[in-house]
Structure formats: structure tokens, C-alpha cells
Amino acid sequence: MEKIKIGIVGYGNLGRGVESAIGKNPDMELVAVFSRRNPENVQVKNPQVKVLHISEAEKFVNDIDVMILCGGSATDLPEQGPRFAKMFNTIDSFDTHAKIPEYYAAVNEAAASAQKTSIISVGWDPGMFSLNRLLGEAILPEGATYTFWGKGLSQGHSDAVRRIEGVKGAVQYTIPIEEAVERVRRGENPELSTREKHLRECYVVAEEGADVERIEREIKTMPNYFADYDTTVHFISEEELEKNHSKMLHGGFVIRSGKTGEGTNQIAEYSLKLDSNPEFTSSILVAYARAAYKLNKQGEFGAKTVFDVPVGLLSPKSPEQLRKELL
């Protein structure tokens, strides 16, 4: 079997998860990990895998079929997405929903001009939840869609808090408001504001001497992340962060509530309960890496989203196998 050759940019929680996921897919192999850190300080699971500085990536344009970008959405991916799309087929998990259109445009221009294929905003939201929102609206055009996240640790929001000056470490939890969830499940179709659906709770380790009032203010007013939510900020010690907030639990659900006839209510729900948010997201990235490889072989260039990818391309099985075994 000819294996799809994968590269990883960034080796944090997501990068480590991608390496593990590749190991569970026999049609793939990991060629190299690229990091901004000193490669000697990056310990990957497989000692046969090259670890190189990110500046070395362009030397591998003929050796890597798909590059999986594992950086954060706040500052990494806006620069790395278009940059790497000029050299490789790419997958990323850009999750700043409000900025997806402009990010798509930048990556599309880069990938299309280089005849590469880049699938952006891959994960469970955006990603799997996006697909379920689309399915719900298409099947039940008269109705409303509700997305709830958590309770769980959000990687993207936690990363955004850690980028604030004076923050040494931080995690952020997204918490659904139970009353809102139950109203939706009862088929009431309530109109809910962003603030009425979720709470956000941050646990922050401040650097010694940092202005904690400024840090709290910057968190609560951060656009696209916290400004539209009731947010609580707790300042804690490094020991407490490590002891009580090191797990990566998450989950959530998409509910479509609609009518198909007079007095006929229909409710469709897709839910996730995750022991490891980054490992599940990584597994989705790897499946879409397979799809990007296939799309590129078919001459489908430019940026794509989960809406543009035939779901059968995610599987290593042939169309004949899929029709026989899963249809």
C-alpha cells in the first residue's frame, strides 16, 4: 500500500494527538514534525520521525503529501495557513468563526495559485457540528438550530487567554446553561442570545507582579472570544492549575428543532462526550488529511471546508466497500 506522507507543524497537545492518530491509520506515515522550538527540546513518540525547525519545512515540498497545521487560531494560523498552502496540501483547525470567511479567502488564493488543496476549519466545531447544522437546516427547513458546547475545556479560548501579556498559564471552560438546553429539548424553539446559552469560566496563573485587573479586563472584553458572554475569571497558583485543570474533557451537542406538518414536531440531536478534546480533534484532522490527498489527486485545488468534501473521501475504504458495509 502506498502510504500518504504526513507532516506536522506545531507539537503541542494537538500535534501530539495527530501523531497518535496517524499511528492508527495504516495508509499513512508521519515524515516529520516542524516546530518553532529548538528541535532538540521536542520529544516525539516515534524516534524514527524527524524533528526539525519550522524554517526547514520548505525543503520537504516533494516528501510530504499533506501538512497538518496544529497551531492556534489567534495568531499562528492566520500567518501559517496561507504560507504553507503555497507549498503543501494542508489541514488546519482554524476556529475563530467570525473570521472564517477572510481566512478562507487568504488560504484559497495561496492554495489555488500553487495547485494545492487546503481544507480549513476542521475539527468538531467548526467541523462535525457544522455538518450537523447544515443537515438539520436542509432536512427541517422550518425550525431552529441550537449549538451548545461543554461543559469542557476549550483549547482555542484557553490559548487566547495565554497570549495575554502577564499570563503564565490558563484554561477556559465553556458551560451550557441547563435551563436553555431543556427548553430547546422540549421543542419550545426559544430565541436565545449568546449570553443566554453559555457561561465562560477562566482559571489563570498570572506572572509575578502582573496587573491582574488589566488581565481580567482584557479577557472579559476580548472580541470573538469573551465579550458576548458572562465570564468569570479566577486567579490561581501553578500548582492548582496542574492539579485540578490538566484534563482535556469536552463535548457538546447540536439540536435542530422543527416542524414537518401541522402539530408535528421533530427534534434531531448530535452529541459528543470527549475524554480528550485535542485527541478527538486530531483524529478528525487526520481523516480530512486523507480527503485532501484524494481531492488534490482529482485536481480539486484551492481552499475547502467540510461542506465541500464528499464524506466518503474520509475513509480508507473503497466506494465499493462503503456501499457494501456501511450504506
Side-chain angles (χ1 to χ4, degrees), residues 47-326:
Q48 303 301 316
V49 172
K50 297 183 180 71
V51 181
L52 302 161
H53 190 266
I54 194 170
S55 61
E56 302 279 330
E58 62 186 28
K59 299 177 182 178
F60 286 77
V61 291
N62 297 318
D63 301 311
I64 289 174
D65 296 315
V66 184
M67 190 74 86
I68 301 180
L69 309 181
C70 297
S73 299
T75 58
D76 296 332
L77 292 176
E79 182 271 327
Q80 291 177 358
R83 172 187 165 192
F84 281 93
K86 294 177 181 178
M87 299 182 283
F88 302 94
N89 301 316
T90 65
I91 305 292
D92 69 59
S93 59
F94 184 81
D95 67 356
T96 308
H97 292 262
K99 295 186 176 182
I100 286 176
E102 63 186 81
Y103 180 69
Y104 173 91
V107 174
N108 185 56
E109 181 180 0
S113 64
Q115 295 192 329
K116 299 297 182 182
T117 306
S118 294
I119 308 178
I120 70 161
S121 299
V122 170
W124 57 274
D125 198 0
M128 298 298 96
F129 276 16
S130 311
L131 288 173
N132 281 275
R133 285 189 285 264
L134 185 154
L135 287 170
E137 289 188 6
I139 295 165
L140 297 172
E142 181 183 338
T145 300
Y146 303 87
T147 303
F148 294 93
W149 303 280
K151 179 181 178 181
L153 190 153
S154 169
Q155 293 181 96
H157 287 72
S158 298
D159 178 70
V161 175
R162 289 192 291 266
R163 303 280 176 148
I164 294 174
E165 183 182 351
V167 172
K168 192 172 185 179
V171 295
Q172 183 268 320
Y173 295 97
T174 303
I175 306 170
I177 297 174
E178 286 298 324
E179 181 183 355
V181 176
E182 291 309 312
R183 290 183 65 193
V184 171
R185 285 178 171 155
R186 288 196 298 266
E188 294 182 16
N189 286 5
E191 291 188 12
L192 298 170
S193 68
T194 296
R195 198 174 298 273
E196 291 174 316
K197 291 191 291 183
H198 296 92
L199 304 171
R200 296 200 182 276
E201 197 161 17
C202 303
Y203 292 84
V204 180
V205 178
E207 293 179 353
E208 187 175 351
D211 183 345
V212 294
E213 290 185 1
R214 173 188 56 78
I215 291 172
E216 181 172 356
R217 185 168 58 251
E218 286 193 34
I219 292 172
K220 290 183 174 181
T221 59
M222 189 183 298
N224 302 315
Y225 285 90
F226 298 101
D228 296 329
Y229 299 86
D230 287 334
T231 302
T232 304
V233 180
H234 307 276
F235 288 95
I236 61 174
S237 67
E238 283 188 89
E239 292 75 18
E240 185 178 345
L241 185 70
E242 176 64 27
K243 179 181 178 181
N244 298 329
H245 303 285
S246 59
K247 293 184 178 180
M248 297 287 183
L249 304 175
H250 215 327
F253 28 96
V254 175
I255 304 172
R256 179 67 177 179
S257 176
K259 295 183 181 295
T260 52
E262 189 65 34
T264 306
N265 295 317
Q266 316 281 18
I267 296 178
E269 181 171 340
Y270 174 79
S271 66
L272 297 174
K273 186 176 181 181
L274 309 176
D275 277 353
S276 173
N277 179 8
E279 287 186 14
F280 187 73
T281 300
S282 298
S283 297
I284 303 171
L285 291 170
V286 169
Y288 273 90
R290 180 182 293 112
Y293 175 77
K294 294 177 181 178
L295 285 172
N296 189 259
K297 292 291 187 184
Q298 295 170 7
E300 294 285 342
F301 307 135
K304 312 290 181 185
T305 73
V306 294
F307 299 140
D308 308 310
V309 180
V311 68
L313 297 185
L314 304 180
S315 174
K317 296 180 178 180
S318 68
E320 293 77 16
Q321 285 178 289
L322 293 175
R323 287 191 290 271
K324 180 179 179 181
E325 298 173 16
L326 299 181

